Structure formats: structure tokens, C-alpha cells
Amino acid sequence: MKYQSQKVALYYFVGALVLFLSQVSFGALAGAVYVWPNLLSETIPFSVIRMIHTNSLIVWLLMGFMGASYYLIAEEAETEIYSPLIAKIQFWLFLFGGAAAIVGYLMGIHGGREFLEQPTWIKVAIVVVALMFLFNLTMTVLKGRKTAVSMVLIVGLWGVALLFLFAFYNPVNLVLDKMFWWFVVHLWVEGVWELVMASILAFLMIKLTGVDREVVEKWLYLIVSLALFTGLLGTGHHYYWIGTPGYWQWIGSVFSTLEVAPFFAMVLFTFYMVWKGGRTHPNKAALLWCLGCSVFAFFGAGVWGFLHTLSNVNYYSHGTQITAAHGHLAFYGAYVMVNIAIMTYAMPKLIGREPYRQMLNMWGFWVTSSGVAFMTFTLTFAGTIQAHVQRFLGESYMDVQDQLGFFYILRLGSGLVVVIGAFMIVYSLFVPGREARRVSPSAHSQAAE
Amino acid sequence: MNERLSISAARNIFYGGTIFFAVIFIALVINSVNYATDSETSNASELNEKVALGKEVWERNSCINCHTLFGEGAYFAPELGNVWVRRGGREDAEGAADFIKEWMKSQPSGVEGRRQMPQFNLSEEELEGLVEFFKWTSGVNTQNWPPNDEG
Ligand code: HEM
Ligand SMILES: [Fe+2]
């Protein structure tokens, strides 16, 4: 750590990881309700469990992005953060908003648009938090060095905030409601979040492999260009069956298929940089997460996304367990993993230690990744049967679900493995243990990252 | 990567291309908004206060976190965008309306081993709104989706 103010990232990482545990725990609970349908049905209905699962995910990923941004922006801009105080206030406000939302959900206070269930005042608080954050970040860059990494990051984050404004638009006409709902959902994960992800990976590649910034930054622009050129019109893959014109079927099919390209480019990028850099960085776990991230994102978003994105396939698969399979692997591969990558890299630096608990962290990687991968397979099988029997043969929804019980048991099992893996990861990051050596002052200035 | 491509050229391609695709996207979205609000191409003119109330009831109780609506939502319970059609609303509107209201009143079923739906304690007016909402959604032109009435 080169700049004292980078320390604010620690708040965000800790907050994010706690919410990560909440996310996977409620996820496992939801998986258990699939197996034992009467479980908690009178106390916390499935709808509320799921809401807490998805909202915890979104909030912790955003919180992680914020921590990552504060951490890397200081080094990129080569200056202290404009206001560490704003950063701290902003953190507590965000945490409070997130916690209030969850408590509210448990008491039955929520809206009813998927992922945007937060009551309006919490949405307003989120906007305030975002503005404080963006102001702070932008001011930091303005007074320091302007690199491609920080520019792409900031453009991405401004995009995240601006698109969120569509969450306030809720017309009576359901078709319009859905059209603009996807401005938040799709244009986030298949648009501006990719910018954030790519710039974090670019920063980590510069630090971990030692390849020239010049090279890394060209790759960065290539990746984010591919992401937005395809992802904007790729929104069409959600406009097939919601009351929008038929032309979206081919526009959505073509452009969303091309959305695979930026994810493939990220695989090439990370592996090529590691190969080209050829130097071994002591934080092997961080490197593992970077490589794992690009590969899992490619499979989750790219391969599993393509699987059901063509309109004539989507006609049968739309809204089945295939969608659930894809959602899990894509979110994990792209956004969970990039967050854990930067945390694994930055945590030791933030607390002034040499990389610690590398073995446990890497075990956490393999356990969690296997769990998510297996869950994806079981849901894909379940979804394929569902699409065939319900959509093609025309059996009723509930009858088909009764035939999928076996897959839901396997899914619950893999979910529990994910919970174990998540606890391993969080423990390995939070508890350096005695063996973690302090960074000696001289070594600190040498290891120039 | 390519030596001839300078960083500033790469940056300009990124910004220029993004603006290009964003403009096309926005133009198509505007066209689609017209499509979804014009009475020639949509059933938007049939929206009324009851439908609005129904949508509000749908949201307040977060039905979307179990059900799907036009295939979007949770995948824990049946599709409801076409429930009106599935329960015979086109042939017998009164029968379908009664079915939906009675259904809402009789939850949870409490049957062991079956997924449970909560009791939402809706007023007669809210139930009426919900029925109108479902009737309206079944009239949206979804390009023949779902493939059959089972949703
Ligand atoms: C990291 C990037 C991505 C994430 C996090 C992600 C996540 C998701 C999620 C959560 C949903 C379900 C939304 C809902 O609740 O209805 C979804 C739907 C979908 N995604 Fe992705 N996705 C990503 C990238 C992609 C890509 C690159 C493609 C195409 C190649 C794709 C194709 C689709 C399609 C077609 C659907 C709709 C499924 C349906 O019809 O039910 N996704 N995605
Ligand atoms: Fe999408």
C-alpha cells in the first residue's frame, strides 16, 4: 500500500464479505425450500428468502467495486484519495441502507419488481451514496495522473449510477416497465459492470505480471469496446416476448451472440499477460482468482449465455431453470470472482502483511468453484427437462416440477458446498494468523506494487 | 498487441463506437415505446385504474419473487402472464375471475410436500384489480410466447 487513504477500502471489503456470507446462506435456504417445500413457509416465504439472496449479492458486489475503486484509484492517480471522510460516511450510509432493506424485507416491506424491491427512500439513499462516491473518485483522478484504467473504471461507474435512475420509473404499462427495467439489469451486467470488471483485471495484471501498462491498456480498450458494441443492442435478447416489436428477435440474437467476444477476449488477455510477464508474484492466490475469473465468466456469461440466447431456443427455455443455471454461473464467474481477486490481492497490503493464508484461500477457490459449477450442471439438466416436458409437450408447470425433485436435491448439496467454500474464503481473508509476516519497511518500497 | 494501434486511437474507437451503438439502440427503444403505447399495435388503450391497482397489488406482495410474468421473475411457481387464458378466461370470463379470487383466498394449501403460497389477505377491490391486471397481460402481443397455455 502506497497511499495512506487507500485504507478506506478495508471498510468496503469487510462489509462486502459479510454480505457475501448472508447471500450464500439465504441462497442455501432457498435451495432447501425447493427440497422441503413446507420449510418456513408460514414465517419467511420463499419470495422473501430469494429477495434477500439476490439483494445481498447485488449490494456486496457493488460494495466490493467501491472498495476496489478506492484502492486502485489512489495508485493509478498517484495521489491520496480526495476525501477519506466522505468515503467512510458513504460506506456507513450504504451499509445502513442495505441492512435496512433486508430487515424491511423480513417484515414484509418491499416493492415488487425483481431485484429492485428496495423501498423508494432506500433507492434515493443509494443514489446519494453513488453521488458521494463518484464525486470523491472523480476529484481524486482530476488532481492526479489520468490512466486508461481509471478512466474506464470511472466511465463504468458513472454508467452504473445513471442507469440506476431507471429504477425510479415504474409505469402502469407493464411492457414499458419491463423494457426499462432491463436498462438497469441487462445494461448493468452486460454493459457497464463489464467496464468495472475489465479495469480491475487490468490493474491486477499490471501489478501481478509486470507487463507494460501500454500493452495492458490497449487490451483494456479492446475488451470494453467489444463489451459495449455488443451489449447495448444485445439488450434485445430480453425484448423477444414482452410485448415489444418482432425485429428484436434477430437483433437480439445476433448482438447477444457477439457478447461472448468480450468474455473470450478477457480469457486471452489474462492468460497472455501471465505468459508474457513470466514473473512469479508472491500472491499466487490473487493470480488464481484472476485467471479463474476470466475462465468462469467466459463459461457462465459466454457459453451458458449463448446456450439460450438465440430467439428460437429462448422461445422454449425462457424463464426455466436454464435461466437460473446461467444466472448463477455468470454472476459467480464474472463479478464474485473479480471481487475476490482484488480482495485477495489488496487485503494483505491494506493490513501491512506479506500474502497470507494462500493455501486456504486457494482451497476456497476450488471448493466454491466446484460447488457453483455442479449447481449449474444440475440446474441445466433440470431446465432442459422442464423446457421439453412443459414447453414442448405441454404438461403443467407443477406436474413437471414434481419430476425434478432429484435435481433439486443435488442442487441443494452443491449449494451447501458453496457455503462451505465461501466461509473458507472469508476466513482466509479475515484471519491472517500468526504466520503472516509483517511487510518490512525496506521490502515494502522495493515490491513496488 | 498490435504496435500500430496507438492508445489514443484505441480510446477513440471505444468512445466513438459506443456512441454509435448507443444511438442506434436508443432509436430502436423509442420505436418500441411507440409500438407498446400505440393502440394499433398494443393493448395500452385498455389500461385503466383497476389494472393499475392490480399491478400495484402484484408489486406490493412481490409475487414476482416466486412466479414469472412473461417468463421473468423467480422460477419457483407458475407463469402468470397467461393465467387468464389458462383458466379459460376467453371462453368464460366470470369463471376465470372467480377461480383467481378463490385461489387467492384459499392459500396456503398447507399440503405436505407441496410448495406453499402465502395468504395475502386482499380486499375484494384488490382481488378485482388483480383479475383485471391478468386479463390485461393476457392481451399483450408476446409474439406467441409461451408455446402453450401451460406457460
Ligand atoms: C456476467 C455477465 C452476465 C450476468 C451476470 C448475467 C446474468 C443473468 C441473469 C441473472 C439473468 C436472469 C434475469 C432474470 O431474472 O430474468 C440473465 C438472463 C439472461 N442472460 Fe445473462 N448474464 C450475463 C451475460 C450474458 C451473456 C453474455 C449472454 C448471451 C450470450 C446472456 C444471455 C442471457 C439470456 C438470453 C437471458 C434470458 C433468459 C431467459 O429468457 O429466461 N447473459 N442473465
Ligand atoms: Fe442480458
Side-chain angles (χ1 to χ4, degrees):
Chain A
M1 201 178 68
K2 286 186 190 154
Y3 301 92
Q4 216 39 46
S5 53
Q6 284 177 292
K7 269 230 151 64
V8 294
L10 211 48
Y11 288 83
Y12 289 86
F13 290 163
V14 172
L17 288 172
V18 171
L19 284 169
F20 177 33
L21 297 181
S22 148
Q23 178 230 321
V24 292
S25 307
F26 275 89
L29 188 58
V33 176
Y34 264 92
V35 177
W36 299 291
N38 307 79
L39 185 73
L40 292 177
S41 64
E42 312 266 323
T43 359
I44 326 177
F46 179 86
S47 50
V48 172
I49 298 173
R50 181 177 189 270
M51 208 182 288
I52 296 176
H53 172 59
T54 57
N55 280 242
S56 301
L57 169 74
I58 298 164
V59 173
W60 92 254
L61 293 178
L62 288 171
M63 205 176 259
F65 286 164
M66 288 174 179
S69 306
Y70 279 127
Y71 183 85
L72 71 79
I73 213 74
E75 287 188 17
E76 285 294 303
E78 297 185 324
T79 170
E80 295 288 349
I81 286 159
Y82 176 75
S83 166
L85 180 66
I86 293 184
K88 282 179 210 163
I89 298 174
Q90 183 226 318
F91 167 77
W92 289 112
L93 196 57
F94 194 30
L95 188 69
F96 172 75
I102 291 178
V103 173
Y105 296 165
L106 287 170
M107 300 189 318
I109 305 165
H110 47 66
R113 293 195 303 155
E114 199 190 359
F115 311 137
L116 304 179
E117 296 90 351
Q118 315 81 22
T120 308
W121 73 267
I122 292 186
K123 288 201 182 84
V124 173
I126 293 173
V127 172
V128 172
V129 166
L131 288 177
M132 288 167 78
F133 170 64
L134 288 167
F135 170 75
N136 210 358
L137 217 58
T138 310
M139 293 306 280
T140 310
V141 173
L142 286 181
K143 76 182 166 92
R145 182 174 68 145
K146 291 153 196 73
T147 65
V149 174
S150 50
M151 291 320 285
V152 170
L153 178 70
I154 287 191
V155 169
L157 291 166
W158 272 102
V160 172
L162 291 177
L163 288 167
F164 184 71
L165 297 179
F166 287 97
F168 291 92
Y169 176 63
N170 183 9
V172 173
N173 186 333
L174 183 71
V175 179
L176 296 183
D177 171 358
K178 283 178 175 288
M179 272 179 73
F180 290 100
W181 180 82
W182 283 111
F183 272 48
V184 188
V185 180
H186 169 95
L187 290 179
W188 265 19
V189 300
E190 289 157 75
V192 289
W193 281 34
E194 281 183 63
L195 271 55
V196 177
M197 171 186 176
S199 50
I200 294 175
L201 281 180
F203 173 79
L204 288 170
M205 285 299 118
I206 293 172
K207 299 293 170 180
L208 294 171
T209 70
V211 172
D212 265 3
R213 172 178 291 276
E214 177 87 12
V215 179
V216 171
E217 292 189 335
K218 276 187 207 172
W219 272 96
L220 176 60
Y221 276 124
L222 172 80
I223 292 166
V224 296
S225 298
L226 288 173
L228 293 188
F229 298 178
T230 62
L232 284 162
L233 288 170
T235 314
H237 66 180
H238 305 294
Y239 291 172
Y240 297 157
W241 331 115
I242 62 168
T244 30
Y247 57 70
W248 287 108
Q249 290 179 27
W250 67 266
I251 295 178
S253 297
V254 170
F255 281 89
S256 67
T257 298
L258 295 173
E259 279 181 39
V260 181
F263 289 101
F264 188 63
M266 280 193 258
V267 177
L268 293 180
F269 167 59
T270 49
F271 279 80
Y272 181 52
M273 290 304 108
V274 170
W275 174 76
K276 195 175 158 87
R279 105 174 176 207
T280 46
H281 190 276
N283 198 331
K284 293 214 169 45
L287 196 59
L288 178 65
W289 281 105
C290 290
L291 296 175
C293 173
S294 66
V295 171
F296 270 72
F298 171 68
F299 278 98
V303 179
W304 256 260
F306 174 68
L307 200 68
H308 60 160
T309 209
L310 297 175
S311 64
N312 48 350
V313 176
N314 192 265
Y315 186 65
Y316 294 101
S317 68
H318 181 49
T320 62
Q321 297 298 328
I322 292 180
T323 312
H326 156 69
H328 283 87
L329 194 63
F331 259 111
Y332 174 70
Y335 303 121
V336 171
M337 289 179 109
V338 78
N339 261 302
I340 306 293
I342 182 96
M343 290 181 201
T344 301
Y345 171 76
M347 284 293 283
K349 303 208 174 266
L350 287 169
I351 59 175
R353 307 289 178 105
E354 296 293 344
Y356 54 82
R357 294 242 192 251
Q358 293 266 298
M359 274 321 257
L360 183 66
N361 184 307
M362 290 197 261
W363 271 104
F365 171 96
W366 289 111
V367 171
T368 314
S369 302
S370 317
V372 178
F374 194 72
M375 182 187 304
T376 305
F377 299 144
T378 57
L379 290 177
T380 307
F381 281 117
T384 309
I385 295 174
Q386 185 188 0
H388 182 73
V389 181
Q390 181 187 325
R391 293 282 163 72
F392 199 76
L393 301 180
E395 265 190 55
S396 88
Y397 175 91
M398 288 306 281
D399 290 349
V400 177
Q401 291 298 309
D402 284 341
Q403 299 167 37
L404 300 176
F406 175 64
F407 295 103
Y408 293 138
I409 293 172
L410 294 183
R411 190 286 263 293
L412 174 59
S414 49
L416 293 173
V417 173
V418 173
V419 174
I420 295 170
F423 273 89
M424 290 165 78
I425 294 166
V426 172
Y427 185 87
S428 78
L429 291 172
F430 277 178
V431 189
R434 250 184 262 140
E435 91 274 27
R437 280 185 298 121
R438 296 213 163 267
V439 176
S440 63
S442 61
H444 186 217
S445 52
Q446 273 169 17
E449 67 267 356
Chain B
M1 202 195 285
N2 198 328
E3 297 290 315
R4 279 163 302 173
L5 179 76
S6 72
I7 270 282
S8 57
R11 185 189 58 216
N12 294 341
I13 291 172
F14 169 58
Y15 288 115
T18 299
I19 292 169
F20 175 77
F21 284 102
V23 168
I24 298 179
F25 177 63
I26 290 168
L28 291 173
V29 166
I30 292 171
N31 178 269
S32 302
V33 168
N34 290 335
Y35 178 93
T37 46
D38 190 328
S39 55
E40 294 276 301
T41 48
S42 76
N43 62 342
S45 60
E46 289 158 35
L47 288 168
N48 57 38
E49 260 153 44
K50 282 187 177 172
V51 178
L53 173 67
K55 185 166 186 277
E56 205 242 58
V57 172
W58 167 267
E59 288 168 5
R60 190 173 351 112
N61 296 292
S62 201
C63 314
I64 198 84
N65 267 301
C66 286
H67 292 277
T68 51
L69 190 64
F70 297 166
E72 295 165 6
Y75 320 107
F76 183 73
E79 164 69 26
L80 293 179
N82 69 340
V83 65
W84 181 254
V85 179
R86 183 156 66 245
R87 297 302 168 185
R90 284 196 182 142
E91 300 82 41
D92 173 14
E94 211 170 311
D98 285 344
F99 174 87
I100 293 170
K101 290 183 195 168
E102 283 312 311
W103 177 272
M104 296 302 296
K105 289 182 197 160
S106 63
Q107 301 305 312
S109 74
V111 175
E112 198 56 39
R114 192 174 170 85
R115 294 183 195 168
Q116 295 297 305
M117 172 166 151
Q119 173 52 248
F120 295 109
N121 300 311
L122 301 181
S123 69
E124 199 55 37
E125 198 190 351
E126 289 169 331
L127 286 170
E128 194 63 45
L130 209 49
V131 166
E132 292 300 317
F133 177 60
F134 288 140
K135 198 194 304 186
W136 186 82
T137 61
S138 75
V140 172
N141 174 6
T142 52
Q143 314 286 337
N144 282 327
W145 191 92
N148 60 61
D149 289 350
E150 293 304 335

